Amino acid sequence: MFRSRLGRRRGTAAVVLAAASLMLTLGGCGVDRITPQDARDEAGTDDKAGAGGSARRVDCAEVKCIALTFDAGPAKDTPRLLDILKEKQVPATFFLLGKKHVDRYPQVVKRIADEGHEVANHTWSHRILTGLDKAEVREELALTQTAVEKITGTKPTLMRPPQGRTDDTVSEVSKELGLAQILWSVTAKDYSTNDSALIRQRVLDQAGRDGIILLHDIYDGTVPAVPSIIDELKNRGFTFVTVPELLAPGKAEPGAVYAPQAE
C-alpha cells in the first residue's frame, strides 16, 4: 500500500513538473501573454484598418483564421516550400535565423519578402535568451535585424525566442528594438521526426481558430507535409493568414508577448 501511494505521488509530481516546464517553455516566467482575440478587441472595430494601417485582406473576427509559421530557416528546402505556398496561395510568417541561414541564403530571404510573406526574427545563433545578459540578448536580436534589413530594406517587427523562452529582460530588449514576441499553439515537434505523415497528423490534431502553427523548414520531413496540411485545413474551413493579419486591426506592440490559447 505504501509503495502504491508513493508511486502515485511520484507520478503526480512528475506530471506537475512536466506541466510547469511546458508553461515555462511556452509562456516565459511571469510574462503576460496576449491572445489574437485580445489584440483585435483592444484595437476596436475599424474594419478598414489593419496592421500598419493598411487595408485588411481578411477579418479574423469573422473568419476562422490560422497562421502558418516556420522557424530557423531559410535552408535548402525553403525554395520548394515557397513554391508550395505560392501554388496554394497561402501566406506564412518566417522567423529567420541569422547565422548560417540569413547570411547563407540572402536571395531566399529576399524572395520570402517579395512574395508577400512576413519576415521575422529568430535570433542570430539560437541561443536561449533567458540565459543571457541584456547586452547578449540585444546582440542576438540586433544582428539579425541588421542582416534582414540589408536584404529586404525593412527591419522585422516580430520575433520568436528560441524554445519560446522569454522573461522581463528579453521583453525589455525586444521593446527597445521594436520587436513583438510571438509564441504558438500548435507544434508538430518536427525536430524529433522526419515522418511527414506524423507531422501532418500532429498539426491537424491541434489546429484551432486563431491558432499559430510552429514548423521548421530546416528538417527533411516538414516541407513534404505542408501541402496536405494546407489542403485539409482549408477543407475544415480555415483561412491562412500572416501573424500581423491574425492580430488586425490590432498591431503587435514591441516587447509584448502574443500567444493563442492552446486547444
Side-chain angles (χ1 to χ4, degrees):
M1 177 67 73
F2 176 76
R3 288 182 179 177
S4 177
R5 289 177 179 172
L6 182 59
R8 285 198 297 270
R9 288 174 183 170
R10 286 175 174 169
T12 301
V15 170
V16 171
L17 182 61
S21 177
L22 179 62
M23 290 176 67
L24 175 63
T25 298
L26 293 182
C29 183
V31 179
D32 291 334
R33 295 182 292 175
I34 303 169
T35 69
Q37 182 175 337
D38 289 339
R40 295 193 298 264
D41 290 347
E42 290 172 7
T45 58
D46 182 359
D47 290 336
K48 294 182 179 180
S54 60
R56 271 190 286 169
R57 182 178 63 89
V58 62
D59 183 356
C60 291
E62 301 294 334
V63 176
K64 189 165 70 170
C65 292
I66 197 163
L68 190 56
T69 73
F70 297 91
D71 280 13
K76 61 181 179 61
D77 291 334
T78 306
R80 180 183 172 195
L81 172 60
L82 290 170
D83 290 342
I84 293 167
L85 296 175
K86 186 174 183 178
E87 177 188 349
K88 303 288 186 182
Q89 296 185 313
V90 166
T93 302
F94 287 82
F95 292 90
L96 304 182
L97 203 59
K99 186 178 182 181
K100 298 182 179 179
H101 293 273
V102 169
D103 61 356
R104 184 172 291 178
Y105 299 96
Q107 291 305 314
V108 179
V109 175
K110 188 174 187 305
R111 182 182 169 189
I112 291 170
D114 288 348
E115 295 188 359
H117 303 290
E118 186 73 17
V119 180
N121 188 328
H122 195 44
T123 75
W124 182 253
S125 60
H126 209 265
R127 298 177 72 188
I128 305 303
L129 300 180
T130 51
L132 306 180
D133 63 31
K134 190 173 181 179
E136 291 171 322
V137 171
R138 184 179 290 106
E139 182 179 47
E140 277 290 306
L141 294 172
L143 285 173
T144 300
Q145 289 289 91
T146 299
V148 169
E149 184 182 25
K150 285 181 178 178
I151 296 167
T152 68
T154 305
K155 289 183 178 180
T157 60
L158 309 177
M159 70 83 109
R160 176 169 285 156
Q163 296 184 8
R165 294 181 181 271
T166 186
D167 57 19
D168 289 340
T169 298
V170 177
S171 295
E172 183 180 346
V173 174
S174 297
K175 184 175 182 179
E176 291 172 2
L177 295 176
L179 290 164
Q181 303 175 76
I182 309 298
L183 303 184
W184 60 88
S185 57
V186 179
T187 174
K189 298 182 179 179
D190 50 353
Y191 51 81
S192 65
T193 180
N194 284 327
D195 185 338
S196 297
L198 178 58
I199 292 169
R200 173 187 183 274
Q201 195 58 49
R202 285 174 173 174
V203 170
L204 298 180
D205 286 347
Q206 299 171 66
R209 184 169 188 161
D210 281 350
I212 298 179
I213 300 169
L214 166 61
L215 292 170
H216 299 80
D217 47 331
I218 60 174
Y219 299 122
D220 291 342
T222 301
V223 172
V226 170
S228 60
I229 289 172
I230 290 173
D231 290 344
E232 178 56 27
L233 289 179
K234 282 185 175 181
N235 287 339
R236 295 183 186 182
F238 285 96
T239 296
F240 287 92
V241 294
T242 63
V243 170
E245 287 176 324
L246 188 65
L247 305 180
K251 184 178 180 181
E253 295 296 332
V257 179
Y258 294 84
Q261 295 178 343
E263 290 296 301

